[in-house]
Amino acid sequence: MTRDDWTFLSNHGHVLVALARDPDARTRDVADAVGITERAVQQIVADLVELGYVDKDKVGRRNRYRVTRDSHFRHDLESGVTIGAFVDLINKSAATP
């Protein structure tokens, strides 16, 4: 990664946003959107589910994801912010032309 390649969100943040936008997204689609491998997405989803940030339900052969909106960020600097408020902010700005 060069000095110009960094972003404010980690891959965990990008996957969370992708799942919030499309709860029925396939791992492949999330990987393409984030720019990482499907295996990395699977591991990140496992992390998010294990820590209670995302719920995963099996619907037929697919998974449906639900962001746990009342969860709070882990770091002390952002711990007062809920995941729901963050996702709403991101999605609102994405919808604004």
Side-chain angles (χ1 to χ4, degrees), residues 20-52:
R21 286 187 179 164
D22 184 3
D24 296 313
R26 298 175 302 167
T27 303
R28 178 181 322 147
D29 299 329
V30 174
D32 288 344
V34 175
I36 58 178
T37 66
E38 287 183 60
R39 181 68 188 123
V41 170
Q42 291 168 348
Q43 184 58 55
I44 290 170
V45 168
D47 291 345
L48 294 172
V49 168
E50 179 181 336
L51 292 172

mmCIF file of all heavy atoms in Angstrom, residues 20-52:
data_model
loop_
_atom_site.group_PDB
_atom_site.id
_atom_site.type_symbol
_atom_site.label_atom_id
_atom_site.label_comp_id
_atom_site.label_asym_id
_atom_site.label_seq_id
_atom_site.Cartn_x
_atom_site.Cartn_y
_atom_site.Cartn_z
ATOM 1 N N ALA A 20 -24.897 -4.047 5.160
ATOM 2 C CA ALA A 20 -26.012 -3.181 5.540
ATOM 3 C C ALA A 20 -26.775 -2.719 4.301
ATOM 4 O O ALA A 20 -28.000 -2.609 4.324
ATOM 5 C CB ALA A 20 -25.497 -1.979 6.334
ATOM 6 N N ARG A 21 -26.063 -2.461 3.231
ATOM 7 C CA ARG A 21 -26.696 -2.014 1.982
ATOM 8 C C ARG A 21 -27.453 -3.134 1.291
ATOM 9 O O ARG A 21 -28.482 -2.906 0.673
ATOM 10 C CB ARG A 21 -25.653 -1.455 1.024
ATOM 11 C CG ARG A 21 -25.177 -0.106 1.444
ATOM 12 C CD ARG A 21 -24.281 0.504 0.404
ATOM 13 N NE ARG A 21 -23.861 1.819 0.862
ATOM 14 C CZ ARG A 21 -22.858 2.480 0.344
ATOM 15 N NH1 ARG A 21 -22.178 1.974 -0.667
ATOM 16 N NH2 ARG A 21 -22.537 3.660 0.825
ATOM 17 N N ASP A 22 -26.907 -4.350 1.364
ATOM 18 C CA ASP A 22 -27.537 -5.481 0.685
ATOM 19 C C ASP A 22 -27.459 -6.714 1.579
ATOM 20 O O ASP A 22 -26.489 -7.474 1.512
ATOM 21 C CB ASP A 22 -26.847 -5.746 -0.654
ATOM 22 C CG ASP A 22 -27.518 -6.860 -1.441
ATOM 23 O OD1 ASP A 22 -28.549 -7.408 -0.988
ATOM 24 O OD2 ASP A 22 -27.007 -7.194 -2.526
ATOM 25 N N PRO A 23 -28.477 -6.918 2.430
ATOM 26 C CA PRO A 23 -28.462 -8.050 3.368
ATOM 27 C C PRO A 23 -28.436 -9.418 2.696
ATOM 28 O O PRO A 23 -28.097 -10.412 3.327
ATOM 29 C CB PRO A 23 -29.757 -7.879 4.158
ATOM 30 C CG PRO A 23 -30.157 -6.465 3.966
ATOM 31 C CD PRO A 23 -29.635 -6.062 2.624
ATOM 32 N N ASP A 24 -28.777 -9.471 1.421
ATOM 33 C CA ASP A 24 -28.787 -10.737 0.689
ATOM 34 C C ASP A 24 -27.560 -10.913 -0.203
ATOM 35 O O ASP A 24 -27.516 -11.815 -1.033
ATOM 36 C CB ASP A 24 -30.053 -10.829 -0.171
ATOM 37 C CG ASP A 24 -31.308 -10.849 0.678
ATOM 38 O OD1 ASP A 24 -31.344 -11.615 1.656
ATOM 39 O OD2 ASP A 24 -32.249 -10.084 0.367
ATOM 40 N N ALA A 25 -26.570 -10.061 -0.019
ATOM 41 C CA ALA A 25 -25.374 -10.098 -0.875
ATOM 42 C C ALA A 25 -24.642 -11.425 -0.727
ATOM 43 O O ALA A 25 -24.554 -11.995 0.361
ATOM 44 C CB ALA A 25 -24.436 -8.952 -0.513
ATOM 45 N N ARG A 26 -24.111 -11.885 -1.851
ATOM 46 C CA ARG A 26 -23.261 -13.074 -1.834
ATOM 47 C C ARG A 26 -21.847 -12.664 -1.447
ATOM 48 O O ARG A 26 -21.434 -11.522 -1.681
ATOM 49 C CB ARG A 26 -23.233 -13.731 -3.221
ATOM 50 C CG ARG A 26 -24.593 -14.217 -3.681
ATOM 51 C CD ARG A 26 -24.525 -14.746 -5.093
ATOM 52 N NE ARG A 26 -24.034 -13.689 -5.978
ATOM 53 C CZ ARG A 26 -23.621 -13.893 -7.218
ATOM 54 N NH1 ARG A 26 -23.620 -15.097 -7.735
ATOM 55 N NH2 ARG A 26 -23.193 -12.889 -7.952
ATOM 56 N N THR A 27 -21.119 -13.592 -0.885
ATOM 57 C CA THR A 27 -19.733 -13.341 -0.499
ATOM 58 C C THR A 27 -18.938 -12.801 -1.677
ATOM 59 O O THR A 27 -18.151 -11.866 -1.533
ATOM 60 C CB THR A 27 -19.083 -14.639 0.032
ATOM 61 O OG1 THR A 27 -19.864 -15.125 1.120
ATOM 62 C CG2 THR A 27 -17.670 -14.404 0.498
ATOM 63 N N ARG A 28 -19.169 -13.354 -2.842
ATOM 64 C CA ARG A 28 -18.469 -12.929 -4.052
ATOM 65 C C ARG A 28 -18.742 -11.454 -4.363
ATOM 66 O O ARG A 28 -17.854 -10.701 -4.722
ATOM 67 C CB ARG A 28 -18.898 -13.801 -5.224
ATOM 68 C CG ARG A 28 -18.274 -13.408 -6.546
ATOM 69 C CD ARG A 28 -18.752 -14.295 -7.678
ATOM 70 N NE ARG A 28 -18.886 -15.679 -7.236
ATOM 71 C CZ ARG A 28 -19.793 -16.532 -7.701
ATOM 72 N NH1 ARG A 28 -20.663 -16.160 -8.617
ATOM 73 N NH2 ARG A 28 -19.850 -17.763 -7.260
ATOM 74 N N ASP A 29 -20.005 -11.051 -4.212
ATOM 75 C CA ASP A 29 -20.376 -9.660 -4.486
ATOM 76 C C ASP A 29 -19.736 -8.702 -3.484
ATOM 77 O O ASP A 29 -19.278 -7.622 -3.858
ATOM 78 C CB ASP A 29 -21.897 -9.503 -4.469
ATOM 79 C CG ASP A 29 -22.576 -10.354 -5.536
ATOM 80 O OD1 ASP A 29 -21.957 -10.580 -6.598
ATOM 81 O OD2 ASP A 29 -23.714 -10.801 -5.293
ATOM 82 N N VAL A 30 -19.721 -9.096 -2.220
ATOM 83 C CA VAL A 30 -19.079 -8.263 -1.187
ATOM 84 C C VAL A 30 -17.590 -8.161 -1.467
ATOM 85 O O VAL A 30 -17.004 -7.082 -1.388
ATOM 86 C CB VAL A 30 -19.360 -8.815 0.227
ATOM 87 C CG1 VAL A 30 -18.584 -8.033 1.280
ATOM 88 C CG2 VAL A 30 -20.851 -8.784 0.534
ATOM 89 N N ALA A 31 -16.968 -9.273 -1.817
ATOM 90 C CA ALA A 31 -15.535 -9.269 -2.122
ATOM 91 C C ALA A 31 -15.224 -8.322 -3.274
ATOM 92 O O ALA A 31 -14.264 -7.541 -3.208
ATOM 93 C CB ALA A 31 -15.064 -10.690 -2.450
ATOM 94 N N ASP A 32 -16.039 -8.367 -4.314
ATOM 95 C CA ASP A 32 -15.833 -7.475 -5.457
ATOM 96 C C ASP A 32 -16.005 -6.012 -5.049
ATOM 97 O O ASP A 32 -15.231 -5.148 -5.466
ATOM 98 C CB ASP A 32 -16.799 -7.809 -6.589
ATOM 99 C CG ASP A 32 -16.469 -9.115 -7.298
ATOM 100 O OD1 ASP A 32 -15.326 -9.619 -7.131
ATOM 101 O OD2 ASP A 32 -17.350 -9.639 -8.005
ATOM 102 N N ALA A 33 -17.021 -5.727 -4.247
ATOM 103 C CA ALA A 33 -17.288 -4.348 -3.826
ATOM 104 C C ALA A 33 -16.166 -3.793 -2.952
ATOM 105 O O ALA A 33 -15.782 -2.629 -3.082
ATOM 106 C CB ALA A 33 -18.618 -4.275 -3.082
ATOM 107 N N VAL A 34 -15.636 -4.633 -2.069
ATOM 108 C CA VAL A 34 -14.605 -4.189 -1.123
ATOM 109 C C VAL A 34 -13.214 -4.233 -1.751
ATOM 110 O O VAL A 34 -12.344 -3.442 -1.399
ATOM 111 C CB VAL A 34 -14.664 -5.034 0.175
ATOM 112 C CG1 VAL A 34 -13.545 -4.683 1.130
ATOM 113 C CG2 VAL A 34 -16.018 -4.860 0.853
ATOM 114 N N GLY A 35 -13.022 -5.165 -2.683
ATOM 115 C CA GLY A 35 -11.705 -5.313 -3.308
ATOM 116 C C GLY A 35 -10.803 -6.271 -2.566
ATOM 117 O O GLY A 35 -9.586 -6.091 -2.524
ATOM 118 N N ILE A 36 -11.414 -7.298 -1.948
ATOM 119 C CA ILE A 36 -10.651 -8.316 -1.231
ATOM 120 C C ILE A 36 -11.133 -9.683 -1.699
ATOM 121 O O ILE A 36 -12.080 -9.782 -2.486
ATOM 122 C CB ILE A 36 -10.795 -8.171 0.301
ATOM 123 C CG1 ILE A 36 -12.263 -8.258 0.735
ATOM 124 C CG2 ILE A 36 -10.176 -6.852 0.765
ATOM 125 C CD1 ILE A 36 -12.478 -8.180 2.251
ATOM 126 N N THR A 37 -10.517 -10.739 -1.195
ATOM 127 C CA THR A 37 -10.893 -12.087 -1.606
ATOM 128 C C THR A 37 -12.165 -12.544 -0.905
ATOM 129 O O THR A 37 -12.532 -12.016 0.156
ATOM 130 C CB THR A 37 -9.776 -13.092 -1.290
ATOM 131 O OG1 THR A 37 -9.630 -13.182 0.135
ATOM 132 C CG2 THR A 37 -8.460 -12.690 -1.940
ATOM 133 N N GLU A 38 -12.812 -13.548 -1.491
ATOM 134 C CA GLU A 38 -13.990 -14.135 -0.856
ATOM 135 C C GLU A 38 -13.625 -14.731 0.501
ATOM 136 O O GLU A 38 -14.400 -14.629 1.455
ATOM 137 C CB GLU A 38 -14.588 -15.219 -1.747
ATOM 138 C CG GLU A 38 -15.306 -14.677 -2.953
ATOM 139 C CD GLU A 38 -15.954 -15.780 -3.773
ATOM 140 O OE1 GLU A 38 -16.811 -16.503 -3.214
ATOM 141 O OE2 GLU A 38 -15.597 -15.911 -4.953
ATOM 142 N N ARG A 39 -12.464 -15.337 0.590
ATOM 143 C CA ARG A 39 -12.023 -15.929 1.861
ATOM 144 C C ARG A 39 -11.871 -14.859 2.934
ATOM 145 O O ARG A 39 -12.251 -15.061 4.089
ATOM 146 C CB ARG A 39 -10.694 -16.682 1.664
ATOM 147 C CG ARG A 39 -10.181 -17.331 2.907
ATOM 148 C CD ARG A 39 -11.091 -18.490 3.337
ATOM 149 N NE ARG A 39 -10.676 -18.962 4.637
ATOM 150 C CZ ARG A 39 -11.461 -19.017 5.705
ATOM 151 N NH1 ARG A 39 -12.718 -18.648 5.631
ATOM 152 N NH2 ARG A 39 -11.004 -19.457 6.846
ATOM 153 N N ALA A 40 -11.337 -13.706 2.556
ATOM 154 C CA ALA A 40 -11.197 -12.607 3.520
ATOM 155 C C ALA A 40 -12.575 -12.134 3.977
ATOM 156 O O ALA A 40 -12.780 -11.868 5.169
ATOM 157 C CB ALA A 40 -10.412 -11.457 2.903
ATOM 158 N N VAL A 41 -13.531 -12.056 3.060
ATOM 159 C CA VAL A 41 -14.895 -11.660 3.428
ATOM 160 C C VAL A 41 -15.486 -12.677 4.393
ATOM 161 O O VAL A 41 -16.104 -12.308 5.400
ATOM 162 C CB VAL A 41 -15.801 -11.498 2.182
ATOM 163 C CG1 VAL A 41 -17.263 -11.319 2.588
ATOM 164 C CG2 VAL A 41 -15.336 -10.341 1.332
ATOM 165 N N GLN A 42 -15.293 -13.959 4.114
ATOM 166 C CA GLN A 42 -15.816 -15.001 5.001
ATOM 167 C C GLN A 42 -15.255 -14.853 6.416
ATOM 168 O O GLN A 42 -15.998 -14.979 7.403
ATOM 169 C CB GLN A 42 -15.484 -16.385 4.450
ATOM 170 C CG GLN A 42 -16.228 -16.721 3.183
ATOM 171 C CD GLN A 42 -15.670 -17.956 2.493
ATOM 172 O OE1 GLN A 42 -14.595 -18.462 2.826
ATOM 173 N NE2 GLN A 42 -16.405 -18.456 1.502
ATOM 174 N N GLN A 43 -13.976 -14.574 6.529
ATOM 175 C CA GLN A 43 -13.354 -14.414 7.845
ATOM 176 C C GLN A 43 -13.879 -13.166 8.548
ATOM 177 O O GLN A 43 -14.159 -13.185 9.740
ATOM 178 C CB GLN A 43 -11.833 -14.352 7.734
ATOM 179 C CG GLN A 43 -11.139 -14.272 9.076
ATOM 180 C CD GLN A 43 -11.471 -15.452 9.977
ATOM 181 O OE1 GLN A 43 -11.280 -16.599 9.591
ATOM 182 N NE2 GLN A 43 -11.999 -15.179 11.158
ATOM 183 N N ILE A 44 -14.019 -12.077 7.806
ATOM 184 C CA ILE A 44 -14.527 -10.834 8.387
ATOM 185 C C ILE A 44 -15.971 -11.018 8.837
ATOM 186 O O ILE A 44 -16.342 -10.584 9.941
ATOM 187 C CB ILE A 44 -14.386 -9.669 7.390
ATOM 188 C CG1 ILE A 44 -12.903 -9.312 7.233
ATOM 189 C CG2 ILE A 44 -15.195 -8.461 7.838
ATOM 190 C CD1 ILE A 44 -12.605 -8.354 6.101
ATOM 191 N N VAL A 45 -16.799 -11.678 8.017
ATOM 192 C CA VAL A 45 -18.183 -11.936 8.412
ATOM 193 C C VAL A 45 -18.201 -12.782 9.683
ATOM 194 O O VAL A 45 -18.976 -12.509 10.607
ATOM 195 C CB VAL A 45 -18.981 -12.604 7.272
ATOM 196 C CG1 VAL A 45 -20.318 -13.141 7.771
ATOM 197 C CG2 VAL A 45 -19.193 -11.623 6.127
ATOM 198 N N ALA A 46 -17.344 -13.786 9.757
ATOM 199 C CA ALA A 46 -17.262 -14.615 10.967
ATOM 200 C C ALA A 46 -16.906 -13.753 12.177
ATOM 201 O O ALA A 46 -17.492 -13.921 13.258
ATOM 202 C CB ALA A 46 -16.245 -15.740 10.781
ATOM 203 N N ASP A 47 -15.963 -12.830 12.019
ATOM 204 C CA ASP A 47 -15.598 -11.915 13.109
ATOM 205 C C ASP A 47 -16.793 -11.075 13.530
ATOM 206 O O ASP A 47 -17.088 -10.931 14.722
ATOM 207 C CB ASP A 47 -14.474 -10.962 12.687
ATOM 208 C CG ASP A 47 -13.131 -11.631 12.477
ATOM 209 O OD1 ASP A 47 -12.951 -12.790 12.922
ATOM 210 O OD2 ASP A 47 -12.259 -10.983 11.850
ATOM 211 N N LEU A 48 -17.491 -10.482 12.538
ATOM 212 C CA LEU A 48 -18.629 -9.604 12.828
ATOM 213 C C LEU A 48 -19.763 -10.367 13.501
ATOM 214 O O LEU A 48 -20.417 -9.845 14.410
ATOM 215 C CB LEU A 48 -19.110 -8.926 11.543
ATOM 216 C CG LEU A 48 -18.130 -7.945 10.893
ATOM 217 C CD1 LEU A 48 -18.655 -7.494 9.533
ATOM 218 C CD2 LEU A 48 -17.855 -6.751 11.795
ATOM 219 N N VAL A 49 -19.992 -11.599 13.076
ATOM 220 C CA VAL A 49 -21.036 -12.430 13.685
ATOM 221 C C VAL A 49 -20.629 -12.822 15.099
ATOM 222 O O VAL A 49 -21.423 -12.707 16.045
ATOM 223 C CB VAL A 49 -21.322 -13.676 12.813
ATOM 224 C CG1 VAL A 49 -22.182 -14.685 13.561
ATOM 225 C CG2 VAL A 49 -21.991 -13.264 11.507
ATOM 226 N N GLU A 50 -19.386 -13.254 15.271
ATOM 227 C CA GLU A 50 -18.906 -13.692 16.589
ATOM 228 C C GLU A 50 -19.024 -12.579 17.638
ATOM 229 O O GLU A 50 -19.365 -12.836 18.794
ATOM 230 C CB GLU A 50 -17.448 -14.147 16.487
ATOM 231 C CG GLU A 50 -16.855 -14.608 17.803
ATOM 232 C CD GLU A 50 -15.399 -15.020 17.671
ATOM 233 O OE1 GLU A 50 -14.969 -15.384 16.563
ATOM 234 O OE2 GLU A 50 -14.690 -14.957 18.689
ATOM 235 N N LEU A 51 -18.756 -11.349 17.231
ATOM 236 C CA LEU A 51 -18.796 -10.232 18.172
ATOM 237 C C LEU A 51 -20.168 -9.575 18.261
ATOM 238 O O LEU A 51 -20.352 -8.596 18.982
ATOM 239 C CB LEU A 51 -17.736 -9.199 17.806
ATOM 240 C CG LEU A 51 -16.306 -9.701 18.013
ATOM 241 C CD1 LEU A 51 -15.299 -8.713 17.455
ATOM 242 C CD2 LEU A 51 -16.042 -9.958 19.490
ATOM 243 N N GLY A 52 -21.143 -10.096 17.519
ATOM 244 C CA GLY A 52 -22.512 -9.621 17.632
ATOM 245 C C GLY A 52 -22.848 -8.390 16.817
ATOM 246 O O GLY A 52 -23.899 -7.786 17.016
#
